[in-house]
Amino acid sequence: MSESLLKRSLKRLRAAYSPGVRSKFVFLWIALVLIIGICFTWQSERITESVIRSDLHARGLSIARDVASRSADSILTHNYHELRQTINDTLANNKDIVYLFLLDRQGTVIINSRQDRQPSTALRQLQTLLPEEEFKTATFRSEEGIIHDLAVPIFGGNAGTVRIGITEANLQKALTKTRNILFTTLLIALVLGSFITAYFTNKLLAPLRQLTTATHIIREGDFSARVSIQTQDEIGHLATAFNMMAEKLSTYKLENKENRAELNRIQKLRVQLVQHLITAQEEERKRIARELHDETSQSLTALKLGLKAMEQTTSTAEIQDLSHELRQMLGATLNEITAISRNLRPSVLDDMGLVAALARFLGDSSVRLGKRIAFKHEGLVGKRFPVYVETAIYRVVQEAVTNSLKYAHAENIFVSVTYINNLLKAIVDDNGVGFDPTTVFDGDIPQEGFGLFGMQERATLIDGTLQIDSAIGRGTTITVTVANVQEAGA
């Protein structure tokens, strides 16, 4: 019975002293400010420490390089008085330098800032510069605190090495000051925030319940929840911001879904493109192998036989006839090899540039297929661009013209390449059958869209953009634009 009475008493005591909503909000505020404040203080301290330490390292490196440049002549002329003066000046202007000494190429101390104590063997051997290294750093803890040791070669290492040790004492002072300021700010925020939170809790409860309900709805994935705006004060602004957030979340959800579909489409096209490229590469190798075997190899065999026949001939007339015939064979063989090489990569692109390469390709295509291909260029005469830019533009135009002739069955093709105000633009326009870019780019139709996707990839690799304007029955216009293109060697 006494146990039951005790339980009832404890229950009444808890009910009597149960904290209200306002107290809970105040406690919550304190807890949140403490957690955020401590995290912010820790993060700020780490950032400050990183910045100051980086500045300390940069300053130490600058000092070491300055000493190295000033002491090079003195070391080479054995002017130790001037070396001592250089060290004294450096120490006078930089109070956080613990030690500064110079080593010759064999690692022997030439001069030392601490005349009462020579650097230990371990300290001298702490860092060894390789010939190609411009500097080296190391950090260790000593009785004077954390020391940053920097080694810089003198006269490219031919005159020795500068070693400087800088203490973190000033760094620790700055961190302590920053920590005190942040904790003071945190304490002030706790006190003021607690009073403000306690005062406005009752006014916030009603709209907050509505916000909480809407938040739970959004948390479940339904972004259609909205909060009614009853006032134009901060709570009203909060409700407005909440509604805008919910609207954006709904938009982001839709965009995220579209982006996932786009990524899946691009990934599918990439896989298909790689498969297509591998197949095309093998087919190209087979074609080259056939051409070398069927044409070049046979021509070389005929040359071999002709030379053998010439060896066995004593008649001057027959030798001249054989020589003339062999020269013709050799010329034909060279033409075959040149054609194979040109198909692999047009040498005119490397030798004469983009305009000449395009002019030859378009002229050859027009003559070979009997199609009208007009070519216009502006601002490119005498100009060369980086190899990867010229190659990408050439391949895009080549692929676009090939598609126009092969798939669009175009009778007239217009190609324009301009370079104005560092903007390089290439346009391929045809009067072919056209197509729907959306259906080609979705990746659902095998073996379609590889050329267009390849052009898009090439444009992206040179920081350019590819625009495709086409419709069934209305022809196609492909535009590739590359901004901020500098001339080669500029």
Side-chain angles (χ1 to χ4, degrees), residues 436-453:
D436 184 0
T438 304
T439 58
V440 174
F441 269 120
D442 61 9
D444 291 333
I445 305 175
Q447 306 300 324
E448 285 196 12
F450 294 134
L452 296 175
F453 189 70

Side-chain angles (χ1 to χ4, degrees), residues 147-163:
I147 304 296
H148 292 268
D149 184 271
L150 298 100
V152 173
I154 303 174
F155 199 61
N158 295 320
T161 305
V162 175
R163 291 282 298 281

Side-chain angles (χ1 to χ4, degrees), residues 126-258:
L126 178 63
Q127 301 193 80
T128 302
L129 284 171
L130 299 176
E132 67 274 7
E133 292 181 322
E134 296 182 359
F135 66 91
K136 212 169 188 179
T137 61
T139 304
F140 63 92
R141 186 179 296 276
S142 68
E143 59 185 11
E144 295 166 317
I146 297 177
I147 304 296
H148 292 268
D149 184 271
L150 298 100
V152 173
I154 303 174
F155 199 61
N158 295 320
T161 305
V162 175
R163 291 282 298 281
I164 289 182
I166 301 181
T167 180
E168 284 193 355
N170 292 334
L171 169 64
Q172 298 302 326
K173 291 179 181 179
L175 290 178
T176 301
K177 183 178 180 180
T178 301
R179 191 183 302 116
N180 293 336
I181 293 174
L182 290 174
F183 276 123
T184 302
T185 304
L186 176 62
L187 181 60
I188 294 173
L190 278 174
V191 175
L192 292 178
S194 298
F195 282 108
I196 295 173
T197 303
Y199 179 76
F200 284 103
T201 297
N202 292 331
K203 295 183 179 181
L204 291 173
L205 287 178
L208 285 179
R209 290 193 189 98
Q210 188 179 6
L211 284 169
T212 302
T213 302
T215 302
H216 287 308
I217 295 175
I218 289 180
R219 186 183 62 184
E220 298 299 325
D222 183 5
F223 298 117
S224 62
R226 299 293 183 270
V227 178
S228 61
I229 302 175
Q230 301 176 353
T231 61
Q232 295 300 321
D233 56 6
E234 288 78 2
I235 299 298
H237 297 328
L238 178 61
T240 301
F242 180 87
N243 290 338
M244 292 176 62
M245 180 194 69
E247 184 67 28
K248 286 188 176 182
L249 285 174
S250 179
T251 303
Y252 291 157
K253 181 179 179 181
L254 180 61
E255 291 178 352
N256 190 33
K257 183 177 180 181
E258 294 175 351

Side-chain angles (χ1 to χ4, degrees), residues 71-88:
S71 60
D73 292 337
S74 300
I75 292 175
L76 295 175
T77 58
H78 303 287
N79 190 346
Y80 296 106
H81 175 73
E82 187 174 343
L83 282 177
R84 174 60 61 183
Q85 186 62 39
T86 299
I87 289 181
N88 291 338

Side-chain angles (χ1 to χ4, degrees), residues 185-353:
T185 304
L186 176 62
L187 181 60
I188 294 173
L190 278 174
V191 175
L192 292 178
S194 298
F195 282 108
I196 295 173
T197 303
Y199 179 76
F200 284 103
T201 297
N202 292 331
K203 295 183 179 181
L204 291 173
L205 287 178
L208 285 179
R209 290 193 189 98
Q210 188 179 6
L211 284 169
T212 302
T213 302
T215 302
H216 287 308
I217 295 175
I218 289 180
R219 186 183 62 184
E220 298 299 325
D222 183 5
F223 298 117
S224 62
R226 299 293 183 270
V227 178
S228 61
I229 302 175
Q230 301 176 353
T231 61
Q232 295 300 321
D233 56 6
E234 288 78 2
I235 299 298
H237 297 328
L238 178 61
T240 301
F242 180 87
N243 290 338
M244 292 176 62
M245 180 194 69
E247 184 67 28
K248 286 188 176 182
L249 285 174
S250 179
T251 303
Y252 291 157
K253 181 179 179 181
L254 180 61
E255 291 178 352
N256 190 33
K257 183 177 180 181
E258 294 175 351
N259 289 337
R260 283 200 301 269
E262 178 68 10
L263 287 174
N264 292 334
R265 182 191 67 81
I266 293 176
Q267 183 62 25
K268 185 191 301 183
L269 277 175
R270 285 183 186 274
V271 172
Q272 294 178 358
L273 179 61
V274 170
Q275 295 172 349
H276 177 74
L277 289 176
I278 293 174
T279 302
Q281 186 182 51
E282 293 302 321
E283 291 297 327
E284 183 67 11
R285 288 177 177 176
K286 291 179 182 178
R287 183 186 66 80
I288 295 172
R290 284 195 303 268
E291 289 182 358
L292 289 174
H293 179 270
D294 296 342
E295 299 178 6
T296 307
S297 178
Q298 292 181 7
S299 298
L300 292 175
T301 301
L303 284 172
K304 180 180 178 181
L305 294 175
L307 290 172
K308 184 176 181 180
M310 184 181 291
E311 291 176 356
Q312 298 173 353
T313 300
T314 58
S315 172
T316 304
E318 291 183 3
I319 291 175
Q320 290 179 349
D321 292 340
L322 285 172
S323 176
H324 178 71
E325 185 178 345
L326 290 177
R327 282 200 304 270
Q328 290 182 335
M329 272 189 206
L330 183 59
T333 303
L334 289 175
N335 291 335
E336 293 170 2
I337 295 175
T338 301
I340 294 174
S341 175
R342 185 181 298 173
N343 288 334
L344 290 175
R345 177 174 175 84
S347 59
V348 68
L349 181 62
D350 299 321
D351 298 336
M352 302 180 64

